[in-house]
Amino acid sequence: MRVQHISKHIHHKPILVDIDFSVEPGSIIGIVGRNGSGKTTLLRSLAGILTPTRGSVYIDGLDIFKHPEIKKQIIFVPDSTEALKNYSTKELIYLYKNIYPEFDTSYLFSLMKRFKLSQISKIGNYSKGQKALFTLITAFATGASYILLDEPTDGLDVIVKKQVLQLLVEEVSDRRLAVLISSHRLDELEFMVNEVIFIKKGKVDSHYELDTMKNQYKKIQLAFAGKMPETLENELEVLDKTGKVYTVLIPRGSRPLEEKISDSRPLFYEELPMSLEDYFVAKLGGPDDV
């Protein structure tokens, strides 16, 4: 999949601005950004549900908006199943089989059995977690090559969530699917993704392989006899402050900054493991919204 310079305006307001990246088979890509940054609009545009104001999406060199038949290779799973609540499982299977020629009913039933989901007269009678689970495994059964997930684990209990995440990783590995996931659960994304795309105010702020991203910064904990020296305060990205202890990020390999920290004679200095959440704070300005 090639996402080529997509922009989207809604009511004359720019929601997406010149989004450009590629998606390779066998990859899991996390779409990360603060609330209102355009993540869901991006996924809907990639699925062909929304038509971009500019730019387009290509699969195997074909524009999905000029060749709508190619959309059968894409499935979008929204964060809400409200639109499906009055359908029975049988009706939804019939619907999906008519949209996706490679829909595998036997595979769907095997997954329903695995996750103890019974056929039902109305999807709305499932619990919230069961609804999320059913739409997710239905997506895998479509035979689509590109699966777009918006908050896929919302409503799932811890045990089922782990099973679903494991299933997702297995499917990508075995069938060479490509999955794009928008989620505020950064700890879950860190378990799954190969790459992370950070969206800020409708633009791609950065796009990294996960391992490369973590090697860009160093997370350290510092303590001072009093307040952190002003010479450092303006140069360090402070993640947390508890009493006299500061948790900060610094660019890895920044010798002048490390020397400045050493010269300030901290009472305590320790390097900590770097997480995706830490990088989110560094790139997007705060942990308040994801």
Side-chain angles (χ1 to χ4, degrees):
M1 177 185 283
R2 175 79 177 118
V3 182
Q4 194 167 68
H5 301 293
I6 279 185
S7 294
K8 178 64 179 177
H9 292 189
I10 298 177
H11 301 306
H12 307 290
K13 179 183 177 181
I15 306 299
L16 301 176
V17 182
D18 198 33
I19 302 287
D20 193 86
F21 62 90
S22 296
V23 181
E24 298 295 331
S27 62
I28 305 176
I29 299 178
I31 307 292
V32 174
R34 299 184 72 167
N35 289 338
S37 61
K39 302 186 298 296
T40 298
T41 300
L42 174 59
L43 291 183
R44 289 180 178 273
S45 299
L46 301 187
I49 298 169
L50 296 176
T51 303
T53 305
R54 286 187 296 276
S56 198
V57 180
Y58 298 85
I59 293 180
D60 298 331
L62 296 177
D63 186 327
I64 68 169
F65 298 100
K66 294 179 180 177
H67 301 272
E69 70 278 3
I70 206 77
K71 291 182 185 178
K72 67 186 179 185
Q73 293 193 41
I74 309 169
I75 177 72
F76 170 66
V77 180
D79 61 348
S80 171
T81 58
E82 192 65 17
L84 306 176
K85 66 179 182 179
N86 291 321
Y87 287 91
S88 67
T89 47
K90 184 177 179 180
E91 288 169 335
L92 276 179
I93 290 170
Y94 177 80
L95 175 66
Y96 277 104
K97 285 180 72 172
N98 279 276
I99 297 172
Y100 294 95
E102 296 184 25
F103 190 89
D104 190 336
T105 307
S106 298
Y107 180 67
L108 174 67
F109 286 148
S110 71
L111 288 180
M112 289 180 69
K113 183 177 180 180
R114 174 174 171 179
F115 291 104
K116 298 179 174 59
L117 284 174
S118 59
Q119 294 197 59
I120 200 165
S121 60
K122 281 190 176 183
I123 297 298
N125 293 332
Y126 277 146
S127 69
K128 183 179 180 182
Q130 287 174 323
K131 291 174 195 172
L133 190 53
F134 179 76
T135 55
L136 189 60
I137 64 177
T138 302
F140 287 126
T142 61
S145 301
Y146 299 90
I147 299 180
L148 316 180
L149 306 176
D150 195 4
E151 302 293 350
T153 59
D154 188 31
L156 302 182
D157 66 50
V158 174
I159 295 173
V160 174
K161 187 181 298 184
K162 287 183 177 180
Q163 292 174 322
V164 167
L165 297 180
Q166 186 61 45
L167 172 66
L168 194 153
V169 172
E170 289 172 3
E171 291 290 300
V172 170
S173 175
D174 294 344
R175 295 167 52 193
R176 298 291 292 167
L177 303 177
V179 178
L180 285 86
I181 307 175
S182 169
S183 176
H184 69 278
R185 294 302 309 267
L186 302 183
D187 54 335
E188 294 173 4
L189 285 183
E190 193 165 2
F191 166 75
M192 295 183 289
V193 302
N194 314 107
E195 304 172 39
V196 182
I197 297 175
F198 287 84
I199 304 292
K200 186 174 184 178
K201 295 180 180 179
K203 300 179 181 179
V204 173
D205 179 83
S206 51
H207 180 182
Y208 294 112
E209 291 187 3
L210 190 60
D211 291 340
T212 301
M213 179 196 73
K214 288 185 177 181
N215 288 330
Q216 287 199 330
Y217 282 85
K218 182 188 290 188
K219 179 181 177 182
I220 57 176
Q221 206 166 57
L222 301 166
F224 298 93
K227 187 180 177 183
M228 179 188 289
E230 289 186 12
T231 53
L232 288 178
E233 200 167 7
N234 296 329
E235 294 192 51
L236 300 179
E237 183 72 50
V238 179
L239 298 174
D240 184 55
K241 179 181 180 297
T242 304
K244 296 179 180 181
V245 179
Y246 296 79
T247 304
V248 303
L249 291 185
I250 63 173
R252 191 172 291 276
S254 177
R255 187 175 294 276
L257 186 54
E258 296 226 28
E259 289 177 353
K260 192 176 288 188
I261 292 172
S262 178
D263 292 343
S264 69
R265 298 184 181 279
L267 300 175
F268 177 78
Y269 178 108
E270 181 183 15
E271 183 173 350
L272 303 174
M274 182 78 180
S275 72
L276 179 55
E277 183 175 335
D278 299 326
Y279 198 79
F280 177 92
V281 175
K283 295 299 293 183
L284 302 181
D288 301 334
D289 302 291
V290 176

